[in-house]
Amino acid sequence: MKRVLLASIAACVAMLPAGSLRAQESIKVGVLVSYSGMTSLGGQQTDAAIKLFQSKYGDAPGGHKIELIRRDTTGPNPEVAKRLVQEAVTRDKVQILLGPDFTPNTLAAAPIVTEAKVPTFVIGAATTGIIGEKSPYLTRTFFATPQLCKPLAPYAVKNNWKNVFVMVADFAPGHDCEKIFIDALKEAGGTLAGNLRIPTRNPEFSAYTQRIKDAKPDAVFIFMPLGELSLGSLRAMSDSGLKAAGVKIMGTGDITDESYVDAVGDAALDVITTGMYSTQHNSAMNKEFVAEYTKLNGASPRMGWGAIAAWDALRLVYDGLEAQKGAKFDPDKFMAFVRGRTFESPRGPITIDKGNGDIVQNVYIRRTEKVNGVLQNVEIETLANQSFK
Amino acid sequence: MTSIATVLFNGVAYGMLLFIMSVGLSVTLGMMNFVNLAQASFSMFGGYIVVLVVQRLGLPFLVSLPIAFIIVGLFSIVIERLVFRHFYGTDDLTQVLLTIGLVFMSISTASYFFGGTYQRIDMPAWLSGQRDIFGLTLERYRIFIVVSGAILSLVLILGLERTKLGGMVRACVDNPRAANGCGLNTQMIFAVTFAIGGGLAGLGGALSANLLGIDPNFPLRYLVYLLIIVSVGGMGTIGGTLIAAVTLGVADVAGKYYFPSFGGFVIYAITIAVMLWRPRGLLGRTA
């Protein structure tokens, strides 16, 4: 059924060349992601996904010509994000928003998009307590922290790695994930070997690896933001000999993100992670997606989660506008259409929860392996329809 | 017992890493009295040279180290002749603004040529993994860092502080007119010293690339550590930089090991304490 629907939508779009459409109001879509500084990879991936989507499906879904308005959030800067959202809404008259990325930015945007009734797709913030709570116009195509932080606890216990050490970055999402994992671990019957919070600026891990060694755990669970902490912690697990001594290394998929796993090198091998998307996902749709993405944007930098989140947000934008064909854009009808929607994405089936607006999706347990000489996150187990709670 | 010894060793190794990274800044800042924050960018440049030499050209890691030293050293002469020499007499704030601007330019340049992501550097087998020494299991790369740091400090102390060149540099900085009058080619000496400082920064980046990861934001991430080491050690003394780096390295690792909940704070607490006690640093010269 889903497939038929998708195919028919695609067929509709294909049959209507942009030029022959009846002139209708254009829709302004704001894209607020970070294009500069150390988080610029996110913006690059968002743009790459948009480029591919529009080359495939045109730029006028349902006769509404899409006008993209791009702004640079520069990273997790709520005051910048707030100003950008305000400008986008009042001056540029943006009707739909992708972003802003990062939790603090999303929180800053929530009251504005509520007042202005701008449907907003969260494509780069994972914290709980935003979607469905801060604004009825927020929805998410990224992931929610519990989806990635919970599953490895029962998985570890099931594999007889019962005594687990928990190491998180010392910032709000880290504390969130730490609590979720430890609760799930206790519920599954595992024991906590110890836990550590790592300063967000930390080039040196040897003191921490020594503590982990002293605790003699079966496994270590790691949550770190994308970037040098992920790189450093995985290198440290390997360099200190913990991994060689048979301690299992696990974590959320951030630590082996495709965009820098090559730099981690062999230290990433055999690391077990949770993820909502891997370019290795085995489906015809994903194979086509990856091939086309790589063809259009080049093989480097490698595709990460920023791209898939933007891709699925656009899928919803296009389908929602298609549904309002010939009518004036109505944000409430649009949100009603998006909520409760289920569709097939390159990452697998996803549903936008009807009551809450957050995402329900498959979570995959992956092992980092070399596929044709390249480090990849290979999915080894599927946990279907994981809740955002 | 073994864990105490391992922590101590790891602390010394971390200290040596900090020393290797900051000694270039110590030379330019201390000996030439020039606040060059772009030293951190020179380090990044050294790191990228390792990436190019090892990953693209396939040459051994050890070969890439002198190449990084020489290329970054030559490059810093070019920058010195084109930009820095016009700012020797200016106040600290001007120099800080100028060089932090260069840091941002270097970040964009690296991003343009190499992309925003981290670079992969494959270490040779003899530098990865662990090795048992005196009953301790130590990381090979850390042993390598400690040995390189020791050699480097010996060479620098004997070669820069105890030689005629060192004396000439001091003379040129303290009183350029008199030095010029005594027949010293001040321009030449400044350029050479600058090249040595830059080259050392490049070498530091090359040695630390494997542990810290190389990406365009490298300079901003580690600049604060460089400044801490140089100011705690006292500007212009290589011995002071070494003592500061090793002390802070050991304190940082031991603090994080014994008091993990606030261990990350130790390095800053010591810095503040030293600055209050001796504002010119541990071995700083009084003007």
Side-chain angles (χ1 to χ4, degrees):
Chain A
M1 180 60 209
K2 272 175 290 178
R3 203 162 270 208
V4 175
L5 197 66
L6 259 181
S8 55
I9 290 166
C12 287
V13 175
M15 280 188 314
L16 294 172
S20 76
L21 290 167
R22 274 185 301 130
Q24 276 199 5
E25 57 153 354
S26 66
I27 293 281
K28 288 186 171 167
V29 177
V31 182
L32 269 57
V33 286
S34 81
Y35 289 108
S36 60
M38 59 182 87
T39 45
S40 61
L41 265 183
Q44 265 182 42
Q45 303 215 341
T46 307
D47 272 4
I50 294 175
K51 195 166 127 199
L52 175 61
F53 198 96
Q54 296 209 319
S55 77
K56 267 186 90 128
Y57 301 110
D59 59 356
H64 300 277
K65 173 109 172 83
I66 299 261
E67 229 180 286
L68 291 169
I69 302 202
R70 292 187 171 86
R71 297 288 180 266
D72 179 10
T73 60
T74 70
N77 293 321
E79 60 290 347
V80 174
K82 190 177 175 189
R83 176 172 55 78
L84 292 178
V85 175
Q86 257 161 359
E87 284 174 6
V89 166
T90 54
R91 204 177 60 199
D92 299 321
K93 306 274 184 250
V94 155
Q95 288 145 298
I96 297 174
L97 262 185
L98 304 193
D101 45 5
F102 300 103
T103 299
N105 297 353
T106 311
L107 287 171
I112 308 169
V113 301
T114 312
E115 206 179 321
K117 300 192 175 183
V118 177
T120 300
F121 290 85
V122 176
I123 55 174
T127 312
T128 49
I130 308 176
I131 315 295
E133 291 179 35
K134 300 293 178 206
S135 167
Y137 295 95
L138 287 180
T139 182
R140 174 146 62 192
T141 54
F142 200 47
F143 68 93
T145 311
Q147 285 170 342
L148 297 197
C149 291
K150 221 183 246 177
L152 283 174
Y155 182 82
V157 174
K158 192 180 82 186
N159 283 285
N160 228 4
W161 314 328
K162 291 201 165 123
N163 197 21
V164 183
F165 200 103
V166 177
M167 184 168 100
V168 302
D170 196 359
F171 70 141
H175 302 165
D176 250 16
C177 188
E178 180 186 49
K179 185 177 178 321
I180 292 166
F181 182 85
I182 292 176
D183 288 350
L185 183 69
K186 286 188 177 142
E187 202 186 302
T191 51
L192 183 65
N195 67 322
L196 278 172
R197 290 178 173 183
I198 312 293
T200 46
R201 288 242 157 152
N202 182 56
E204 168 63 31
F205 282 86
S206 66
Y208 301 124
T209 51
Q210 189 60 40
R211 268 193 100 83
I212 298 175
K213 268 187 191 166
D214 296 350
K216 299 196 171 35
D218 301 323
V220 181
F221 173 81
I222 302 173
F223 175 88
M224 296 287 154
L226 295 177
E228 81 271 11
L229 281 182
S230 294
L231 194 95
S233 56
L234 285 185
R235 288 299 265 292
M237 294 297 139
S238 178
D239 291 344
S240 65
L242 270 168
K243 213 169 114 183
V247 176
K248 291 284 164 192
I249 312 298
M250 317 186 287
T252 62
D254 308 88
I255 56 174
T256 57
D257 191 85
E258 280 84 355
S259 61
Y260 54 74
V261 71
D262 290 332
V264 179
D266 287 352
L269 277 177
D270 289 324
V271 172
I272 304 284
T273 57
T274 43
M276 45 68 162
Y277 176 63
S278 160
T279 46
Q280 293 291 298
H281 180 66
N282 191 12
S283 76
M285 182 188 252
N286 183 50
K287 281 187 179 136
E288 189 187 323
F289 174 61
V290 174
E292 288 176 346
Y293 183 97
T294 318
K295 195 173 161 213
L296 191 66
N297 301 300
S300 171
R302 290 172 66 181
M303 192 199 329
W305 290 350
I308 191 74
W311 176 269
D312 287 333
L314 279 182
R315 171 86 278 148
L316 287 166
V317 170
Y318 272 49
D319 290 356
L321 291 177
E322 207 52 64
Q324 293 192 18
K325 195 175 203 155
K328 198 171 165 351
F329 177 70
D330 180 333
D332 291 303
K333 276 191 191 150
F334 181 85
M335 281 313 289
F337 174 88
V338 166
R339 285 180 168 214
R341 200 153 172 78
T342 298
F343 64 100
E344 175 80 15
S345 145
R347 65 177 111 172
I350 67 181
T351 300
I352 302 300
D353 186 73
K354 199 166 184 72
N356 182 290
D358 210 340
I359 187 167
V360 177
Q361 61 186 330
N362 289 354
V363 172
Y364 306 92
I365 311 264
R366 306 102 50 92
R367 192 190 300 117
T368 313
E369 291 172 5
K370 275 201 173 144
V371 179
N372 301 326
V374 181
L375 287 165
Q376 298 283 12
N377 293 305
V378 178
E379 295 170 352
I380 51 176
E381 207 168 296
T382 305
L383 309 166
N385 299 324
Q386 296 291 299
S387 158
F388 44 86
K389 280 191 184 129
Chain B
M1 190 57 217
T2 54
S3 62
I4 295 175
T6 313
V7 166
L8 202 66
F9 170 79
N10 284 335
V12 171
Y14 181 42
M16 281 299 189
L17 179 70
L18 292 173
F19 169 73
I20 289 168
M21 284 178 60
S22 51
V23 69
L25 180 64
S26 176
V27 168
T28 42
L29 185 61
M31 300 185 93
M32 302 179 61
N33 219 359
F34 185 80
V35 189
N36 181 17
L37 303 184
Q39 284 285 341
S41 299
F42 290 161
S43 288
M44 171 174 71
F45 190 19
Y48 276 115
I49 288 173
V50 173
V51 172
L52 289 175
V53 171
V54 175
Q55 299 302 124
R56 306 260 166 98
L57 300 181
L59 294 173
F61 173 66
L62 280 186
V63 174
S64 73
L65 297 177
I67 296 182
F69 179 83
I70 292 165
I71 293 185
V72 180
L74 291 177
F75 176 75
S76 62
I77 292 187
V78 175
I79 299 284
E80 194 259 357
R81 287 289 96 187
L82 287 177
V83 186
F84 290 154
R85 73 188 169 101
H86 304 294
F87 293 88
Y88 279 147
T90 58
D91 59 321
D92 292 351
L93 186 62
T94 309
Q95 296 176 352
V96 165
L97 288 175
L98 170 80
T99 54
I100 199 79
L102 289 175
V103 169
F104 284 114
M105 285 169 70
S106 74
I107 291 176
S108 302
T109 312
S111 224
Y112 179 80
F113 284 108
F114 296 94
T117 190
Y118 287 85
Q119 296 297 320
R120 167 181 178 177
I121 302 168
D122 293 326
M123 280 295 128
W126 61 274
L127 280 178
S128 24
Q130 302 82 38
R131 192 192 162 93
D132 288 319
I133 293 180
F134 309 128
L136 298 176
T137 308
L138 304 177
E139 294 170 33
R140 286 208 177 103
Y141 197 77
R142 284 176 188 267
I143 300 173
F144 176 69
I145 288 282
V146 171
V147 173
S148 329
I151 295 173
L152 193 61
S153 43
L154 217 68
V155 168
L156 288 177
I157 289 173
L158 294 180
L160 262 187
E161 296 200 331
R162 303 282 159 86
T163 56
K164 212 172 158 193
L165 176 68
M168 292 197 289
V169 175
R170 287 267 150 79
C172 292
V173 172
D174 289 345
N175 196 334
R177 274 186 68 188
N180 212 357
C182 294
L184 290 178
N185 184 348
T186 49
Q187 300 265 325
M188 179 72 180
I189 288 171
F190 275 146
V192 168
T193 317
F194 210 89
I196 293 173
L200 286 171
L203 181 64
L207 282 167
S208 56
N210 175 44
L211 286 178
L212 302 177
I214 287 291
D215 78 320
N217 289 294
F218 184 93
L220 282 187
R221 230 179 13 250
Y222 299 110
L223 183 57
V224 62
Y225 293 99
L226 306 192
L227 292 172
I228 285 178
I229 300 298
V230 172
S231 26
V232 168
M235 294 166 194
T237 71
I238 289 171
T241 309
L242 180 66
I243 293 171
V246 173
T247 311
L248 288 173
V250 172
D252 183 64
V253 174
K256 282 173 178 166
Y257 179 69
Y258 289 106
F259 315 103
S261 49
F262 62 90
F265 181 66
V266 170
I267 191 168
Y268 304 106
I270 294 182
T271 305
I272 293 170
V274 170
M275 290 291 96
L276 288 173
W277 171 48
R278 293 180 74 98
R280 292 190 167 271
L282 291 172
L283 297 188
R285 289 184 299 156
T286 41

